[in-house]
Amino acid sequence: MSLNDFYLGKYLGKGSFGSVQIVQRKSDNQYYAMKRISMSKLGEKDKKNALNEIRLLASLKHKNIIGYKEAFFDDASKTLNIVMEYADGGDISSKIRNNLKRKLIFEEKTIWNWAIQLLEGIQYLHNNKIMHRDLKSANLFLLKNGTLKIGDLNVSTIAKKGLGYTQTGTPYYAPPEIWKV
């Protein structure tokens, strides 16, 4: 697999180490989201996080977790490329910003629907001893059919002995498990 097997589309988001864009695989004309991580800019810890994300995504199969398709390294661009399910409905953070701008409110049934799906996804992760460690509205993706998907497992970890004691991810969205009372 290589970048030549895909048509590269618009960017969905950019971070300090990489980006996510829509791609279309040439062999089946299916659309996916591809996270492209520039490995030359990463330290050892960040490289481990990138590989960890692939390992975790590949091991998870749940209706409320973004689906993993494949991963490959592109020598020419020195990027690690993770091909995932494309959430054609965007993310909840964008929906919130859009509604604020337009002075709209979400219907209560929509919020309950999202909450239930989010909790089902979190329960699946926790049953597999996985702490997401960066749950926030920007990492909650939607399909046009209303299905919510938890994504961006980059800093997730497997909890070996009960509670986790490390701080990582977006500080404003830190999970309660990491705060020692």
Side-chain angles (χ1 to χ4, degrees):
M1 189 62 36
S2 78
L3 286 177
N4 292 331
D5 296 318
F6 296 91
Y7 297 111
L8 303 179
K10 75 173 185 171
Y11 284 93
L12 299 170
K14 286 189 177 192
S16 50
F17 300 116
S19 59
V20 178
Q21 66 188 118
I22 298 172
V23 297
Q24 184 180 20
R25 189 165 39 198
K26 293 176 181 178
S27 64
D28 61 8
N29 291 322
Q30 293 294 310
Y31 288 93
Y32 301 96
M34 182 186 290
K35 182 182 268 191
R36 302 191 63 211
I37 303 163
S38 178
M39 297 301 279
S40 61
K41 296 179 182 177
L42 299 184
E44 286 306 309
K45 183 178 178 185
D46 293 319
K47 286 179 183 177
K48 285 181 183 177
N49 282 345
L51 295 174
N52 178 58
E53 181 174 16
I54 294 170
R55 185 178 52 80
L56 284 175
L57 276 173
S59 72
L60 301 173
K61 303 269 186 278
H62 189 270
K63 65 182 180 175
N64 299 115
I65 306 293
I66 284 288
Y68 168 83
K69 302 302 177 190
E70 59 194 309
F72 60 93
F73 184 78
D74 181 64
D75 288 319
S77 62
K78 301 284 188 253
T79 57
L80 177 63
N81 299 278
I82 307 171
V83 182
M84 299 168 283
E85 177 179 18
Y86 170 53
D88 56 4
D91 63 66
I92 289 185
S93 181
S94 297
K95 299 278 185 208
I96 291 169
R97 281 193 309 276
N98 187 41
N99 273 16
L100 283 171
K101 201 182 300 181
R102 297 171 55 207
K103 298 184 180 180
L104 298 173
I105 60 171
F106 292 104
E107 291 183 21
E108 183 178 353
K109 69 179 182 178
T110 299
I111 295 169
W112 278 111
N113 183 27
W114 290 347
I116 289 166
Q117 292 182 77
L118 172 60
L119 291 171
E120 287 175 350
I122 292 171
Q123 181 180 29
Y124 175 79
L125 291 174
H126 288 189
N127 285 347
N128 286 283
K129 298 187 182 344
I130 296 169
M131 289 191 316
H132 187 284
R133 300 197 308 176
D134 198 19
L135 271 179
K136 57 186 178 184
S137 56
N139 290 338
L140 302 177
F141 302 97
L142 296 167
L143 303 184
K144 284 189 178 170
N145 69 10
T147 302
L148 179 139
K149 302 270 187 171
I150 298 171
D152 200 354
L153 279 79
N154 181 289
V155 293
S156 298
T157 188
I158 297 173
K160 295 184 175 53
K161 296 180 183 175
L163 299 179
Y165 296 103
T166 59
Q167 184 174 347
T168 190
T170 308
Y172 290 122
Y173 300 97
E177 300 94 80
I178 68 155
W179 300 110
K180 198 172 187 178
V181 182

